Amino acid sequence: MLQLRPNCERCDRDLPPTAEDARICSYECTFCADCVDAFLHNVCPNCGGGFTPRPIRPKNEWRPGVSLAHQPASTRRVHPRWGAEEQREFVERVRSVDPIYR
Ligand SMILES: [Zn+2]
Ligand SMILES: [Zn+2]
């Protein structure tokens, strides 16, 4: 199940479950759209993959046992695994390659 992480791993801004500017990679690394657009250039600094908008988990229980209340968002904040300069170099190395060829 997709882990709804509470913050941007780069700038630490809050990304609540309803955030429409949350972006995730295939490993659920989570960043805000501003960081993805301005700094990461669609390169996840942890895995090199691209990003997609994070889906919003429904708060209403449209189906039994399935809702944000039943499968709540994570409250454990995630911190950068790589230093800012290392991230920048990594992004520069990878960004020119289209995600489907990475
Ligand atoms: Zn951010
Ligand atoms: Zn990633």
Side-chain angles (χ1 to χ4, degrees):
M1 180 177 44
L2 182 71
Q3 195 179 47
L4 302 172
R5 299 180 183 174
N7 65 306
C8 171
E9 195 175 313
R10 184 176 179 278
C11 73
D12 198 38
R13 87 171 55 164
D14 289 344
L15 293 172
T18 53
E20 293 183 277
D21 63 338
R23 302 288 181 266
I24 56 171
C25 79
S26 75
Y27 293 99
E28 308 173 339
C29 305
T30 304
F31 295 88
C32 72
D34 287 345
C35 285
V36 168
D37 295 342
F39 297 100
L40 301 175
H41 303 291
N42 202 31
V43 175
C44 174
N46 302 319
C47 70
F51 290 102
T52 191
R54 186 177 69 186
I56 294 177
R57 186 166 297 167
K59 62 176 181 288
N60 293 299
E61 189 178 0
W62 298 99
R63 296 289 192 184
V66 181
S67 74
L68 186 61
H70 289 84
Q71 291 83 31
S74 168
T75 57
R76 199 162 134 191
R77 298 183 84 80
V78 178
H79 305 292
R81 280 165 247 186
W82 304 94
E85 184 59 18
E86 208 288 340
Q87 284 190 34
R88 197 190 59 74
E89 290 170 9
F90 182 79
V91 167
E92 283 309 307
R93 189 150 59 88
V94 175
R95 67 184 282 197
S96 64
V97 183
D98 189 280
I100 67 170
Y101 297 112
R102 286 180 197 162

